[in-house]
Structure formats: C-alpha cells, structure tokens
Amino acid sequence: MRFVLIGLSILACSACQLVAAELPDIVVFLSDDHTIGDSSLYGSTDLKTPNMDRIAMQGLTFDQAFVASPSCAPSRAALLTGLMPSRNGAEPNHSRPDKEIKKLPAYFQELGYEVVSFGKVGHYRQTPEYGFDIAKHFKYHEDIAVPEALKWLDARESDKPLLLFVGTNWPHVPWPEPETIDAKTIKIPLHHVHTPQTRIARARYYQAITTMDRELGEVFDAAYEKLGDDTLFLHTSDHGAQWPFGKWTLYDEGIRTPMIAVWPGKIPPSKRTEAMVSWVDILPTLYAAVGQTAPEEIDGRSFLPVLLGETDTHRDVIFTVHSGDGNKNVYPTRSIRTPRWKYIRNLHPEFKFTSHILGDTRPQPYWGSWVEKANKVPEAARKVKRYLERPAVELYDLKADPTEQNNLAAYVEHKEKLASLANQLDAWMKTQGDQQKVYGEPTLLKN
C-alpha cells in the first residue's frame, strides 16, 4: 500500500485542495500467443501449468474473457487505450493507435503512479510510445525481460504506488526445443492434421508454455513479497497461439483468452466466473480498482464488481475484429459472440486465408506435412481447405459445438438467430465507424 496526494480535480471534484488516498499497487503479467485450452487450468490433460493453477487458487479465474483482436498490435492497443481497433486507429497488425488518444499510463500517472513496463507490453518497439515511465527489453524475443523485471522490482525503493506490466515473449514462436515435454504423450487437437511433424511442433509449443508458466510464478511471488497484500495481480494473454484456427482468426482459439485476477482481501479465492469480459474492459477495471471512473467515451467498461464477487455477469455480447497482418494475412473479418452463439462475417470470402504458418521454415515445420497428407487423406484435405477458404458467413452453436466445426449459417431453422446477430453486428460496426478497409494486397482464391 502507498500513501500519495492527489488533486480532487482528478476525482472529478470542483475543489482544488489535496486529499490523502490509499492506492493499491497493480501488477499485470501478459503472456504472448497462448491458446486458452493449452493449460491445465483450462482443461488440458497432457500439459501442466502449475503456476496458473496455484495462482487461480488465490483468486478469480475467468472462463469467458476475450481479446478485441487476434493479433498482437491491435490487441495490445485495445488494452492500452480501452478502445476497439476501429476507434483507436490500430487495425492491422504492426499498426499504432492514434497519437492523440489518451493511453493507460497517463490515467495512472495523473494519480501519482509510477507506470513501468518490461518486455512485450505494447507491440515490441511501440511500447515506449504509450508513455510508460520506464519501458525496457521490448524487442523481439528479448527474453531477458522477465528476469530483468524481477531484479528491478527487488531493487526499487520508491514510495510511489506502482503499476507494473511484465510481458513475456512466450509462447510466441520460435518455439524452443523440448526439454521436459514428452512428444509421445501429447494429444493432437481433433481439428488439426495428425502428422509426426505436428506432434514435434506441438511439443516445442508446450515447452514454450512451460517457460511462460514458470515466469508467471516468479513474477507473482516477487510482486507480493515486495509490494505486500494490497496488490492487484492480473494475468492474461493477447490472443491464441500460431496454430491453424487460432491466431489471426475469430474462432474461440483465437479470441478467447486466459485471465486470472488476485487481490488478497478483495477478490474471493478459488472462484471461477462465466462473466463475459473484453480486453478493452481492463483499463477501466484497473482504474476503478483505484477509485476512479474512466471516460464514457471509451469502449471498455469496468468489471470490478465481478472481481469483488458482487456479480457474475458483465457483457451480453462480445465483438471482435481482425483486419490482417501485412500481405501474409489480408483477411478482414468481424464477429459477435453470445454465451451460446458465434456469428462470423468474412468481409471478402473471395480472398484466400493466408498466414505466416503457410511459409513456416523454422525447425520442424508442420504445415507442409498437412498439405502432403491432404493429397492422400480426404479428412486432412477438408481441414486444410477449411483453413484456407471461408464462407461469407459462419454461425456456430457453441453449446453443442465448442470447437466451431459445424457451420449452421445455411440452416433454415437458424434463420432468425442469424438475422438477429447480423443486425446487432451491423449496428455495432456503424457506431464504431468501421470502414471495413482492406489493408495490404490479398491473395485471391482460384476459380
């Protein structure tokens, strides 16, 4: 706990006198490209994430948390502005939010916080542009970021309240060689193509998650040892992993994200919630946790009452967007998700869905083995085609079909549901000023 003086004008009061306030410290740990189901906390039976498990025992686990966009730059810009990509200006990957938009560090610096980031918090070199007091080790896979954050925190002597972001690069590619993972025990997802190369690549991915989980535990322990119990700790990931139907897509493996929150004495321990929350909600939630109210003009809304156990609901629907990632992934798409239904609109179904996966030349690439098997096995061919070609509209009943395999858009019995979700998405896109712009040069499907 820190004691600081803050202006009443910051608290939306008219007087200009100063008052003392108690402000909690806040630590946010971001993992990179981590599919939610690839952790024991969220149901994996062949991959243990013991630190996620033990941290969850001390706080609240979100089962329905979602990012705003399934690629790094727009996802992190949404987190750090509280605005969706169409409104903050960072739509395709590697883009930046508009300079004039107020960013998360400024909100807390006005209250007397020291706002610090180590590692990948913004999109690599963009991180300092968000206005952190300190921003270090944000280059691509600068993997000393977490140990350096731990050293900095241990040596810190400031009396200011602290908001610390620590961003690991794991499990973002390139995945390391397996050390503790036995590839033979791995369960390949049913919607992937089973090949020896897939199994080897998945073992590498699991090893990267194991490293992430270790770093998470180290940061969590150091935070409470140094800062004390009046510390709000949040762990989440920017989107799913670089696997087909994950990153760059609006399927749940791309947009649904792990999220755990701990705040001793405030957040009840060992709880789970089905409350639907978005990454744009994180900024106003952290701001509410220190007694402030974020501007109504941002898209995010505080879910602090969910954290405090006062309610188990937040949003009725989640909107997500994706525009592309350079010329390798030009595929604008939008979605609306309810607790049960997912509606995806692919704005240009004449485009081929491409991604970095298709040209992967790292050790043990697997996509080539999928294509080779597709030449011989019809089911493999179906999976490969489904990744590369999408219809204009997709509709999934997530209760009956959680892995989104059976597109119901053409079923007459779901006509009303389809129309209702389409109308809601249209209205939302209009309020966002969504121009449905195509960024980059698409690859067209062959007739």
Side-chain angles (χ1 to χ4, degrees), residues 76-124:
R76 292 163 186 268
L79 164 69
L80 294 170
T81 64
L83 292 164
M84 293 293 291
S86 293
R87 296 190 64 213
N88 71 41
E91 292 193 70
N93 203 17
H94 307 288
S95 59
R96 292 166 161 81
D98 298 335
K99 290 183 178 179
E100 63 271 18
I101 292 174
K102 187 175 182 178
K103 314 300 194 298
L104 184 147
Y107 285 91
F108 289 86
Q109 288 161 343
E110 291 172 349
L111 302 177
Y113 273 83
E114 183 179 22
V115 188
V116 175
S117 75
F118 277 81
K120 187 179 178 184
V121 176
H123 189 51
Y124 298 120

Side-chain angles (χ1 to χ4, degrees), residues 32 120 122-128 138-141 169 172:
D32 192 3
K120 187 179 178 184
H123 189 51
Y124 298 120
R125 294 178 184 270
Q126 295 179 14
T127 303
F138 44 76
K139 297 176 184 177
Y140 180 75
H141 260 287
N169 290 295
H172 194 289

Side-chain angles (χ1 to χ4, degrees), residues 6-18 292:
I6 56 177
L8 281 177
S9 59
I10 295 173
L11 297 171
C13 298
S14 58
C16 295
Q17 56 187 311
L18 297 177
Q292 307 301 303

Side-chain angles (χ1 to χ4, degrees), residues 192-209:
H192 287 184
V193 177
H194 292 223
T195 68
Q197 292 89 341
T198 303
R199 184 172 297 280
I200 293 171
R202 199 154 185 88
R204 293 166 61 91
Y205 168 57
Y206 277 16
Q207 188 65 55
I209 294 174

Side-chain angles (χ1 to χ4, degrees), residues 355-362 367:
S355 74
H356 302 62
I357 292 170
L358 275 60
D360 195 348
T361 57
R362 297 180 179 88
W367 178 255

